[in-house]
């Protein structure tokens, strides 16, 4: 009876073990795939209408531009363009294309594709109903011509200093043999489920924005060097907590952890955690809408506090803030102290003027403007001493504080900023609101136009500085400008740098502009935000970090990263092409499942030996 019972137990154990779903063995990357964790999935594969940053996960891998930024140096270099030159007057650009470039369907790229792409944008330029995303990038172009199969000529109406960046580095080249059969309206409405580009990766199967896994296969005929990995998968997660667990379990190889997750990851030798700088500016902005007829006076329609038109009072704010503490405590050390308008991630375009935290100088400035007395006011249920002058004007200002999720660091910064400003005699009345409400408050129309004093908000301007510089031009009042700043000298310098083809001369002009904003302080740069990125170094090598302190999520990484594990090649790597990405992933993971684990085989061996021993005893 005892032997039969033991035999029964061994059988149950064997069956139970066979049913256990084992974790993926993260050290056996037999499929040579790179898995990236994301929290926002691509929604659009149409290069004409891309509007979300998440769409770059697909389009930035599939399509190519004429120029691109070198990830290591931040310098511009050719992508589909082999070389270019510009006439002395800065109006005519001659672009020589690479030869032998293939589209993903095997067709050859030539000048016809480039002319078609740009001509499509030019044809839509004056038609508001045609919402081609990049048509504003070609507004200076008068015409584009084919010189020969691999040379094009572009004529501009005015010189454009950053022409190599925009449009050469922003307009994705599309194949004429696919898109040329459509009308402009049809192009905008085309789902492009099977995008054809010339980039280093191509979509596996069809793109579906409802999926939660996007798989991109290596393009073996990529015009430079084919990637070392066979494919890359973008895997969608609900939040960073589930993504964190997946990374620790070996289900993904790269993701952005939160600052609270970093300490645990840093203790594990399998992982590398890096601080990366992003092209982000977070600023304290002021309502400085002035009267065009008398710039020292407030605009008659403004509902802001007129004291903020005084640049010395605004500069006092800057000196009063310990920005390094905001970076260390609020951002967890992931960021740079803010000083000038252009972020540090813009490389040479950032003017490096260290921030001076000096409360005594702030007090000196406020006293110099006549704010020598104090009065106690009740603010937010607390009694606060604020400075006042002989006219009875008090340094109390309304600050719009955003409640949106992305504004978490604004809110965490607020207790520190409130304390530091109160120490120099400035009181803040905090007004929580979402971004839409603040946008309405900034409107120049309605019953209460421009109804705010100051705010914290941010920009993600990219590497090229022209966009962030444009925000504070007079032309943008009522447009992008949220400070309503106007300075004739600044406007002149902005227009000048737009036409300076000579990079050294342009840099000098941009530096002058940054100095003006630092001294006038319509914006106070609080910090340039960064992020953490974590990736596996036990399974992959060859990661490339942009410019030494930028993101690892870039094409150079995806091309150069190489698996450390022995690769088991499939006989037919395309046999599952027609299956949806989510099903492909499940099949792949199943092949790396329970019975790839040596522990399971050891237990099975013990069970088998048990059967043999029992069987021998029964025969005796």
């Amino acid at each position: 009876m005892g032997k039969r019972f033991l035999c029964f137990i061994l059988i149950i154990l064997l069956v139970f073990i066979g049913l256990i779903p084992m974790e993926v063995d993260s050290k056996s990357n037999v499929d040579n795939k790179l898995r990236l964790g994301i929290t926002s999935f691509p929604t659009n594969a149409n290069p004409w209408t891309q509007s979300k940053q998440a769409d770059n996960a697909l389009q930035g891998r599939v399509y190519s531009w004429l120029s691109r930024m070198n990830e290591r140096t931040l310098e511009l270099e050719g992508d589909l363009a082999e070389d270019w030159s510009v006439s002395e007057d800065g109006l005519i650009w001659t672009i020589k294309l690479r030869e032998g470039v293939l589209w993903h369907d095997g067709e050859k790229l030539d000048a016809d594709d480039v002319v078609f792409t740009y001509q499509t944008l030019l044809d839509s330029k004056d038609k508001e109903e045609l919402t081609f995303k990049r048509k504003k990038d070609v507004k200076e172009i008068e015409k584009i011509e084919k010189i020969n199969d691999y040379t094009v000529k572009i004529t501009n109406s005015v010189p454009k200093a950053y022409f190599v960046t925009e449009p050469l580095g922003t307009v994705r080249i599309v194949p004429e043999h696919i898109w040329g059969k459509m009308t402009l309206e049809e192009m905008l409405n085309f789902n492009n489920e099977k995008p054809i580009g010339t980039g280093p990766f191509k979509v596996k199967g069809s793109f579906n924005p409802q999926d939660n896994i996007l798989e991109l296969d290596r393009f073996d005929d990529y015009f430079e060097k084919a990637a070392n990995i066979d494919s890359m998968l973008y895997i969608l997660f609900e939040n960073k907590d589930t993504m964190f667990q997946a990374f620790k379990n070996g289900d993904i190889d790269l993701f952005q952890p939160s600052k609270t997750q970093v300490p645990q990851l840093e203790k594990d030798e399998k992982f590398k955690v890096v601080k990366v700088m992003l092209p982000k500016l977070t600023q304290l902005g002021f309502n400085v809408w002035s009267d065009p007829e008398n710039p020292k006076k407030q605009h008659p329609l403004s509902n802001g506090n007129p004291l903020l038109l005084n640049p010395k009072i605004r500069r006092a704010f800057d000196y009063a803030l310990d920005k390094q503490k905001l970076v260390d405590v609020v951002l967890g050390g992931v960021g740079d102290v803010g000083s000038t308008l252009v972020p540090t991630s813009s490389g040479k375009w950032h003017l490096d003027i260290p921030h001076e935290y000096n409360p005594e100088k702030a007090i000196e400035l406020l006293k110099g403007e006549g704010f020598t007395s104090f009065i106690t006011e009740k603010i937010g249920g607390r009694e606060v001493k604020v400075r006042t002058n002989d006219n009875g004007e008090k340094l109390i200002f309304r600050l719009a504080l955003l409640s949106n999720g992305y504004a978490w660091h604004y809110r965490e910064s607020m207790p520190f900023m409130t304390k530091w400003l109160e120490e120099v005699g400035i009181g803040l009345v905090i007004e929580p609101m979402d971004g839409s409400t603040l946008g309405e408050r900034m409107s120049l129309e309605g019953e209460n136009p421009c109804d705010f004093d100051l705010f914290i908000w941010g920009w993600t301007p990219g590497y090229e500085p022209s966009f962030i510089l444009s925000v504070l031009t007079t032309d943008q009042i009522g447009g992008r400008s949220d400070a309503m700043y106007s300075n004739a000298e600044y406007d002149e310098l902005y227009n000048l740098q737009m036409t300076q083809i000579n990079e050294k001369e342009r840099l000098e002009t941009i530096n002058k502009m940054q100095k003006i904003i630092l001294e006038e302080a319509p914006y106070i740069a609080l910090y340039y935000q960064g992020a953490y990125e974590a990736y596996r170094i036990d399974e992959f090598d060859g990661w490339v970090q942009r410019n030494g302190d930028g993101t690892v999520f870039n094409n150079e990484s995806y091309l150069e990263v190489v698996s450390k594990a022995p690769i088991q090649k499939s006989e037919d790597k395309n046999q599952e092409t027609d299956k949806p990405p989510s099903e492909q992933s499940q099949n792949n993971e199943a092949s790396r499942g329970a019975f790839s684990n040596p522990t399971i085989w050891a237990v099975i061996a013990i069970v088998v030996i048990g059967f043999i021993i029992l069987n021998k005893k029964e025969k005796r």
Side-chain angles (χ1 to χ4, degrees), residues 282-288 308 317 397-402 410 414 417 428 431 433 438 442 452-459 471-472 480-484 522-524 526:
T282 298
Q283 77 276 0
L284 179 66
F286 300 88
N287 179 350
V288 293
L308 292 177
F317 276 80
F397 306 100
R398 298 169 297 159
L399 185 141
L401 184 62
L402 297 189
Y410 306 175
M414 209 63 257
M417 294 174 61
L428 294 180
E431 296 184 335
M433 63 187 72
L438 179 54
M442 290 176 170
F452 69 97
D453 293 340
L454 61 159
F455 60 89
I456 301 178
W457 220 339
W459 294 99
V471 170
L472 294 176
R480 282 195 291 262
S481 179
D482 45 16
M484 318 309 163
Y523 272 4
I524 290 175
L526 295 176

Side-chain angles (χ1 to χ4, degrees), residues 290-514:
S290 60
D291 187 341
E293 303 299 324
N294 188 351
K296 292 186 178 181
K297 288 189 176 182
Q298 187 178 45
H299 194 285
L301 296 179
S302 177
N303 285 280
N305 191 319
L307 292 176
L308 292 177
L309 267 65
N310 186 334
K312 292 185 179 179
I313 291 178
R314 300 195 299 264
R315 282 291 281 158
F317 276 80
D318 198 14
Y319 286 121
L321 299 176
D322 186 355
K323 300 176 186 178
Q324 185 63 58
K325 191 161 189 175
L326 296 181
V327 171
D328 293 341
V329 178
V330 176
L331 300 184
V334 189
D336 287 336
V337 169
S339 56
T340 51
L341 183 61
V342 180
T344 51
S345 59
S346 290
K348 63 190 174 189
W349 302 113
H350 167 73
L351 178 61
D352 187 16
I353 299 179
H355 168 63
E356 183 181 355
Y357 170 51
N358 192 334
E360 290 76 18
K361 187 173 283 190
I363 292 171
E364 182 181 328
L365 283 174
L366 296 175
K367 285 183 176 180
E369 296 308 298
F371 291 89
T372 55
S373 303
F374 284 90
I375 187 171
T376 300
E377 293 284 326
K378 205 157 193 177
I379 302 176
R382 298 182 302 111
E383 291 189 345
V384 179
K385 288 178 64 177
V386 297
R387 290 184 177 273
T388 183
N389 61 12
D390 292 341
N391 297 326
E393 296 171 315
K394 295 173 283 192
L395 296 182
I396 301 178
F397 306 100
R398 298 169 297 159
L399 185 141
L401 184 62
L402 297 189
S403 57
N404 305 71
Y406 64 80
W408 62 269
H409 49 103
Y410 306 175
R411 297 188 293 276
E412 290 188 19
S413 296
M414 209 63 257
F416 297 102
M417 294 174 61
T418 300
K419 175 179 178 293
W420 296 326
L421 291 170
E422 288 179 359
E423 287 174 351
V424 301
I426 298 173
L428 294 180
V429 177
I430 308 302
E431 296 184 335
M433 63 187 72
D434 60 20
S436 297
T437 302
L438 179 54
E440 292 171 3
R441 292 276 198 98
M442 290 176 170
S443 173
L444 306 187
E445 301 175 351
E447 294 182 3
N448 298 295
C450 215
D451 187 14
F452 69 97
D453 293 340
L454 61 159
F455 60 89
I456 301 178
W457 220 339
W459 294 99
T460 305
Y463 173 74
E464 161 58 39
S466 58
F467 173 83
I468 193 62
L469 294 171
S470 74
V471 170
L472 294 176
T473 58
T474 304
D475 287 345
Q476 288 301 322
I477 294 177
R480 282 195 291 262
S481 179
D482 45 16
M484 318 309 163
Y485 176 69
S486 178
N487 180 303
E489 181 186 2
Y490 183 86
D491 293 343
E492 290 177 7
L493 291 171
Y494 177 79
N495 293 330
L496 175 61
Q497 63 83 33
M498 288 285 286
T499 63
Q500 288 179 305
I501 304 299
N502 183 294
E503 189 177 272
K504 184 178 179 182
E505 293 176 357
R506 186 182 183 220
L507 182 59
E508 291 177 357
T509 303
I510 289 175
N511 285 344
K512 289 179 183 178
M513 297 175 70
Q514 292 183 80

Side-chain angles (χ1 to χ4, degrees), residues 44-50 59 116-118 120-121 131-134 171-172 174 179 187-188 190:
N44 185 4
N46 187 329
W48 300 117
T49 59
Q50 178 205 340
Q59 298 196 29
F116 168 77
T117 300
Y118 277 77
T120 298
L121 295 175
T131 55
F132 284 83
K133 182 65 176 176
R134 288 295 173 184
V171 173
R172 295 182 170 110
V174 303
W179 296 90
M187 291 184 201
L188 292 173
F190 186 52

